[in-house]
Amino acid sequence: MNDCIFCKIASGDIPANKLYEDDEVLAFWDLNPQAPKHFLVIPKKHLAGPGDAGEVDDILIGKLLRTGAHLAAENGIEQFRFVVNNGEEAGQTVFHFHLHVLGGRSMSWPPG
Ligand code: 5GP
Ligand code: ZN
């Protein structure tokens, strides 16, 4: 997608502070962190969000979760929260699937 900011980060057209990258996924620190540790894990393939994923994406989505957990551990984030927003009402502002990984502070429930 030419006008997608996360596709541009995935292709290297826009810089990001990366934690990890391979052929399928990319992880980078959030520009506007909502916790002391806050990074995003995205598929390089453009999917608008989980509502846009098909059965063909099952392994990729599993990899996003596993990558998020591994990178959290590698960065000293032992306890963390995963968040995936799908749709404007849910708080999604970038319409390219991304897993938020937040840690380094106590979290409340329910989320706002
Ligand atoms: P959403 O609200 O869609 O679930 O989350 C989008 C996230 O992407 C936000 O936390 C926002 O701070 C982050 N973000 C938006 N644009 C950029 C960018 O250009 N670089 C980085 N590193 N993060 C971004
Ligand atoms: Zn995209």
Side-chain angles (χ1 to χ4, degrees), residues 12-95:
D13 290 344
I14 291 180
N17 191 359
K18 297 177 187 176
L19 294 93
Y20 176 78
E21 179 169 22
D22 65 23
D23 288 348
E24 295 170 323
V25 303
L26 170 66
F28 52 96
W29 294 102
D30 198 291
L31 204 57
N32 182 24
Q34 301 302 312
K37 302 282 180 77
H38 182 183
F39 65 88
L40 305 173
V41 190
I42 67 167
K44 288 195 167 176
K45 167 185 177 178
H46 181 88
L47 292 169
D52 187 32
E55 197 175 339
V56 68
D57 302 310
D58 285 358
I59 291 173
L60 180 60
I61 293 170
K63 181 170 177 174
L64 284 184
L65 299 182
R66 185 176 56 76
T67 302
H70 273 241
L71 290 175
E74 267 183 31
N75 286 276
I77 311 167
E78 288 172 10
Q79 302 183 59
F80 53 82
R81 180 173 288 180
F82 282 171
V83 173
V84 180
N85 297 320
N86 189 81
E88 267 175 47
E89 194 173 292
Q92 188 175 12
T93 58
V94 177
F95 292 86

